[in-house]
Amino acid sequence: MTEANIVLEAKNITKQFPGVLASDNVNFDLRKGEIHALLGENGAGKSTLMNLIYGLHLPDKGEIFVNGKPIEIKSPNDSIAAGIGMVHQHFMLIPVFTVAENVMLGDEVTKRGSLDRVTVAAKINEISKQYGLDVDPNALVGDLPVGLQQRVEIVKTLYRNAEIVILDEPTAVLTPQEAEDLFRIMRDLTARGVSIIFITHKLKEVLAVADRITVMRAGRVINTVQPSETNEAQLANMMVGRQVILTVEKKDHAASGDILKVEGLSARDQRDLETVHNVSFTVRGGEVLGIAGVQGNGQTELSEALTGLRAPTGGKVTMDGIDLTGKSPRVMTEAGLAHIPEDRQRHGLVLSYSVADNMALCDYYRPPFSSRGVIQQKALDENARKLIDAFDVRTPSPFVNAGKLSGGNQQKVIVARELSRHNVKLVIANQPTRGLDVGSIEYIHSEIIKMRDRGVAVLLISAELDEVMALSDRIAVMYRGQIVAVVDSKKATREQLGLWMAGAHVETTQA
Amino acid sequence: MQEEKQSNSLIKQILQTISDNSLVPFLAILTAVVVGGVIIAFVGGNPILAYRGLIEGSFGSTKALSETAVWATPYIFAGLAVALAFKGGLFNIGAEGQLAVGAVASSLIGYALPEWLGYDLPAIIHLPLAVLFGVLMGGLWAAIVGWLKAYTGGHEVINTIMMNYIALNTTSFLLNGVMKDRSPTNVIARTPLIADSARIPPIFDGLRVHWGFILALLVAFGIWWLLNKTTVGFQIRTVGLNPDAAKYAGINVKRIIILTMALSGMLAGLAGTIEVTGLNYRHELGFSIGYGYDAIAIALLGKSHPLGVVLSAFLFAAMRNGATRMQFLTQMPVDLISMIQAFILLFVAADAIVRYIYRIKSKGERVVLTRGWGG
Ligand SMILES: Nc1ncnc2c1ncn2[C@@H]1O[C@H](COP(=O)(O)OP(=O)(O)OP(=O)(O)O)[C@@H](O)[C@H]1O
Ligand SMILES: [Mg+2]
């Protein structure tokens, strides 16, 4: 490889946030037409490095070169002009606008004073065809599934002639099929000379698609390796700095009586369509029931109906014999529910509250956090210190706003809060490890198993089949709003589960 | 970790927050004053003289100071009303109506209760009754809007404006009718004078500033304490910042919306009540034109922080109070003050302009717009 091949180079980049050195003299380069994966534990500084390159933050020190020329990036306008595009994990799209309107936003094409949708649509169609993106310029963004919304973001970068595309954890919210499609698109892009920086926590993906892999830890680059000369265990080791056990250790454990009993539950989504039909199952104390299924088959509505965030339209839910159908979240948590919500920033956190306040978000009104209606800040802080320690939340202090933590550390704040609640009988965990690094996943898995061994009932909803298979004692498969199969996890095979998830007809086998 | 360093930097953090939050309002005021000066010069006035008049008229003597405090009193209450609603994620444009309702209610108790009872009440009972009734009615009036928002989704901006019309026209109807002062010489739409036992005494003899001003400062502190130190305040702020997370946290969001509106209306009602019991000793149609709207500007300029509200209430009060002296010295119309106030508000609301003029980097260097897993 010659120097000429390097399209982007970041030299000696340093960025200090209050209490955190997020980028410590980082050197990073990207070659033309390659997929360069960026790995690292939560809070390692991956997003920060990308935000520095994209112009969302300004570095304290360091230089950025594009095609060998030094450029000054003060805002995203500068980086876009230099041919850099970035797709954030959650998209900056306006749901009530069409794809074409979203794509031209900020760079509007007008014809005699009004928006020229025709020209834009034609250009989108061209890009879409060229890279096999299959995006309809006239569709309303709000109606599109996440996978397609992400492609709209990719179109947006290409529309602005990006030759360097940054993808920050693009696969965290995708179904396996959507992720496969994304990888195909990434390869198409690189074949045409586009260069890609790809951030993920999934080691399998890295080994499958990356040309080079750079690992970061605590704001520093640890190493850059070739996928052919490494493996999952070694990568995990480099990321975390210790041996990571990639399989869950789980002893056999006898389940006790029914804790959660769901009978004939139905629920509707925002559009008033029934997405959960007549679902029945039980979770016993001391067992993990995993719900497998392709995302969008009613898991969201099911978990919301079980946790008080959504009123069920039919059926009955009891916990330990107490009827909780349609009760409020407060009644449910008082009865012993701990809930790790699917959307951490929508439900799980108040981003402008401190970590300490967030760690008491559901219990602020109880002693020791309050006494006679007065918040006891000391107790809140003490609790936060304990949990930050126990769950290894990377934060400079308990007083920092939750919004300032890295994505994975935000998730850890929620998991720590919920698993440490005082009266837990039932844990409902929806995508508990989304966006977490391997080390944190290992820890949270072991915590969930510990809960189970203590006799707590666990309902695990996850888009990761591996996670469901590793943790569950029994696995239920959800398809089009129904539980189509329940099996003992020891007897379950990936292939069989995959078939059920895809809708292959089955006689419900009760395990 | 480094614990001492942590707590040390906490104090620094607090100071930082204060200076971060007051920089833009301060520069907005400065800019508005400069722009106002240019306009005064442009129409042939002397800006220095005009501003001297303004300062003399508002702070130049004990009497001027007392009058500034008199103006500031309803501004503080009404500003707190709007600020509290902002904290709960609600935009209360209805302070003007809630204030009128409070004033009508307390004046009724003030002049009519002794008549109904047939004997005089001691001040220790009569005054609190008059104030409390005004506060409660203001709260009730606003709570209706909260209820509509919580249970029908009706937007509080529309509904508070509607309720303003109802309140102001009902007031006019009452003051021209059953509540009208029937003394033979009176032709104005106003109530009779309230009984002595329902009046808040002045702090100093010969000056109009009354104990309601001290109450305003205490209430400002009380609201700060409520918002930041109590579970009720925690709930209000959580609902204001993230209603979905509030629901998840087990907070009864509907109840908190109603409560927030009710508290906000009570504060606005208090503004009206205090004007009746502390200053005018009656309710007269049109006494408050604009307090409730100025309150929005005051809350915005004060960044919805109780201390900020007190400070900006003072600024607005000083400008209103000093305007006459300014007019006397320079023949500049009093309306000029409204214009400068409007500029202040404009620069606070469009803080990008101020940041651009003074080349201030926006703090946090623009937080990413997304709600990303990857952060
Ligand atoms: N705006 C900010 N203000 C203060 N600190 C910040 C800010 N953004 C990030 N940080 C800190 O910088 C560090 C690196 O964060 P970053 O988001 O880059 O991590 P990451 O590698 O992307 O992690 P994850 O895998 O969890 O997304 C973290 O300790 C975080 O708390
Ligand atoms: Mg990140």
Side-chain angles (χ1 to χ4, degrees), chain B residues 226-354:
Chain B
L226 176 87
L227 279 172
N228 294 294
K229 302 285 165 189
T230 69
T231 53
V232 173
F234 186 87
Q235 297 181 56
I236 292 175
R237 286 184 295 128
T238 308
V239 170
L241 289 166
N242 185 347
D244 288 321
K247 183 170 182 191
Y248 163 85
I251 294 169
N252 187 335
V253 176
K254 292 187 162 90
R255 223 187 69 202
I256 291 299
I257 288 175
I258 297 172
L259 178 76
T260 307
M261 266 326 269
L263 285 172
S264 175
M266 284 164 81
L267 288 163
L270 196 50
T273 299
I274 290 295
E275 284 293 274
V276 167
T277 52
L279 193 69
N280 301 324
Y281 306 137
R282 58 157 43 111
H283 186 37
E284 189 172 309
L285 202 59
F287 89 93
S288 109
I289 297 302
Y291 283 167
Y293 298 115
D294 283 352
I296 298 166
I298 289 166
L300 284 173
L301 182 62
K303 294 251 170 135
S304 296
H305 190 286
L307 181 62
V309 167
V310 168
L311 294 177
S312 32
F314 257 101
L315 180 76
F316 270 59
M319 294 210 293
R320 289 270 178 235
N321 183 33
T324 350
R325 174 85 186 147
M326 179 191 78
Q327 187 176 23
F328 174 75
L329 281 181
T330 60
Q331 280 72 54
M332 285 291 129
V334 174
D335 293 339
L336 190 74
I337 292 304
S338 306
M339 201 184 67
I340 295 178
Q341 285 176 344
F343 271 122
I344 294 177
L345 189 59
L346 180 75
F347 290 134
V348 168
D351 76 349
I353 303 178
V354 173

Side-chain angles (χ1 to χ4, degrees), chain A residues 47 168-169, chain B residues 374-375:
Chain A
S47 300
D168 193 352
E169 291 191 48

Side-chain angles (χ1 to χ4, degrees), chain A residues 47 90 173 339 344-345 375, chain B residues 229 231 248 370-371 373-374:
Chain A
S47 300
H90 248 263
V173 290
H339 174 204
R344 61 172 164 242
Q345 299 199 337
I375 302 266
Chain B
K229 302 285 165 189
T231 53
Y248 163 85
T370 50
R371 308 184 301 125
W373 309 111

Side-chain angles (χ1 to χ4, degrees), chain A residues 387-405:
Chain A
L387 294 182
I388 286 169
D389 243 28
F391 285 78
D392 188 25
V393 181
R394 306 284 167 88
T395 172
S397 85
F399 316 117
V400 169
N401 286 353
K404 298 246 158 112
L405 300 196

